[in-house]
Amino acid sequence: MKVTVTWEGEHMCLKGLGPSGQPVTMDAAPEHGGQNLGARPSEVLLMGMAGCTALDVLSILKKKRLSLTSFAIDVEAERAPEHPKVFTAATLVYRLAGPDLPEDQVKHAIELSLSKYCGMVNTLKKAMPISYCYEINGNRSPVTPAP
């Protein structure tokens, strides 16, 4: 895979473009010379990880013929206080709602993504511990290390 990031010629604004052809705007915070015109690269990294596992889980649940009324993933990440301010840990919080979502099937779909299918999570697990939990119709499970 090849992606290209191009400076937009204004302050710190960047445009990322990959094989999908869909642009991603990134920018620095105003206190770092940016104009807040896009997400920070660190935000894009976490969004990419969440998006990767989200697509897996949605696909698996669809194959199981489970219907959702809403689905979201929050990523709660910790960073080192000093430069290079790497991520030191992350927790994925899967939030699902629907009329009939058996907990065992939801958990299985999430664990399949985290252990087998999601390349982003499996890449980042090599750099930091990743854990997860899920909420089904508002009922939250305990936080567990990713398989």
Side-chain angles (χ1 to χ4, degrees), residues 96-120:
L96 306 90
D100 183 28
L101 295 172
E103 182 176 357
D104 62 331
Q105 292 190 41
V106 168
K107 183 178 180 181
H108 183 252
I110 292 168
E111 289 186 345
L112 270 177
S113 173
L114 297 178
S115 65
K116 185 175 182 179
Y117 295 116
C118 182
M120 295 289 295

Side-chain angles (χ1 to χ4, degrees), residues 46 49 73-79 87 89-93 95 128-131 133 135 140 143:
L46 296 179
M49 176 175 64
I73 298 176
D74 297 325
V75 181
E76 300 167 357
E78 298 172 20
R79 294 182 83 173
F87 288 109
T91 300
L92 297 159
V93 181
R95 294 185 290 115
M128 66 178 165
I130 296 177
S131 56
C133 65
E135 292 179 7
R140 191 168 183 160
V143 174

Side-chain angles (χ1 to χ4, degrees), residues 33-50:
Q35 293 185 300
N36 207 30
L37 297 174
R40 309 295 175 264
S42 55
E43 295 170 344
V44 174
L45 178 76
L46 296 179
M47 287 180 211
M49 176 175 64

Side-chain angles (χ1 to χ4, degrees), residues 16-108:
L17 195 61
S20 70
Q22 300 299 316
V24 175
T25 302
M26 294 176 281
D27 197 3
E31 61 268 21
H32 298 291
Q35 293 185 300
N36 207 30
L37 297 174
R40 309 295 175 264
S42 55
E43 295 170 344
V44 174
L45 178 76
L46 296 179
M47 287 180 211
M49 176 175 64
C52 179
T53 185
L55 293 174
D56 290 341
V57 171
L58 288 168
S59 175
I60 294 165
L61 293 177
K62 183 177 180 180
K63 288 176 185 170
K64 292 177 178 277
R65 296 192 172 132
L66 296 175
S67 61
L68 296 169
T69 55
S70 68
F71 178 80
I73 298 176
D74 297 325
V75 181
E76 300 167 357
E78 298 172 20
R79 294 182 83 173
E82 301 298 323
H83 286 288
K85 297 186 180 182
V86 298
F87 288 109
T88 58
T91 300
L92 297 159
V93 181
Y94 296 79
R95 294 185 290 115
L96 306 90
D100 183 28
L101 295 172
E103 182 176 357
D104 62 331
Q105 292 190 41
V106 168
K107 183 178 180 181
H108 183 252

